[in-house]
Structure formats: structure tokens, C-alpha cells
Amino acid sequence: MAYDDGNVFARIVRGEIPCNKIYENDHALSFHDIAPQAPVHALVIPKGRYVSMADFAAAASAEEQSALIRAIGETAEALGLSEPGYRVLANSGADAHQEVMHLHFHVFAGKRLGPMLAGGPMPPSSQV
């Protein structure tokens, strides 16, 4: 799939649309989701033109890759999520319900989040 320079995250990276920034480095940006699906819901995006994790893994430099992972950890730390726990989720493609075709990671927290997928059994001790 070709990258669309008009997608909302590309526009945020370019400063055309404001965001409630949490963390930023040379290659990644994190901000609060405007339609949160958990008490804490942040998005972490690479600044580069990547559609999916496969695209990013194949084309991003090692520096971009480490900066994105660092941004996820720094975002969790900035939001005070390291101790209580959080979930990181990336949807890729139509079957995963990816809505914006720019690689992005959701950071969810602020309550017990339950099983990963509806109907998937999970022991209570791992529901964080």
C-alpha cells in the first residue's frame, strides 16, 4: 500500500494539525488520542513515511527503529505507567482494523484492560 502524505498523522508530524504532545525525539512523536478508548490512551508514531510494521522493519534505519521503541518507553514513563502497567497495540491492515495508514502504536492504561481479544480466556493474574 502506498503511503498517503495527507493522512492525519503525517499532518500532525508536519505541524498542520495540533496535538497534545507527550514526548518527541528526532524520529518519533507521542501524543494523547483525541478519542480515548481507555482512561489513558496515547499514540506513538514514527515521523517517517511508514504504513505498517512490515514497511517500517524493512525500510527504517536502525536509528529510527530504536528511537520509536525509546519513544514508547518514554511515553509510558512520562505518563507514570511503568509501575501499574500498560498495553501497547499496533494494528496493521484492514483485518486488524487499522484506521490511519501511518504506522502507530496505541498505549492503553489506567484500568485493568482484560483479555487481549474478546472471548480469549486469560488468567486473572495476567489481566493488566
Side-chain angles (χ1 to χ4, degrees):
M1 171 179 287
Y3 185 81
D4 173 12
D5 283 311
N7 77 67
V8 66
F9 295 155
R11 295 181 67 207
I12 288 170
V13 168
R14 290 192 305 264
E16 297 171 6
I17 297 175
C19 70
N20 185 0
K21 183 171 37 173
I22 300 165
Y23 175 81
E24 183 173 17
N25 62 35
D26 289 344
H27 300 289
L29 172 68
S30 71
F31 49 92
H32 293 275
D33 193 294
I34 62 167
Q37 296 182 30
V40 178
H41 186 175
L43 296 168
V44 183
I45 64 173
K47 291 182 178 179
R49 301 172 74 248
Y50 302 104
V51 173
S52 66
M53 193 64 205
D55 180 23
F56 186 73
S61 69
E63 185 178 356
E64 288 174 296
Q65 291 181 27
S66 66
L68 181 62
I69 297 302
R70 180 169 287 109
I72 293 169
E74 293 288 346
T75 297
E77 188 66 29
L79 295 172
L81 305 177
S82 295
E83 184 58 36
Y86 58 96
R87 177 173 293 161
V88 178
L89 173 87
N91 299 317
S92 184
D95 281 358
H97 198 62
Q98 183 179 3
E99 294 178 2
V100 178
M101 295 303 135
H102 181 113
L103 176 62
H104 58 285
F105 292 84
H106 298 264
V107 177
F108 298 111
K111 69 177 185 178
R112 294 180 84 62
L113 297 171
M116 288 292 294
L117 298 173
M122 194 173 234
S125 64
S126 61
Q127 291 184 1
V128 177

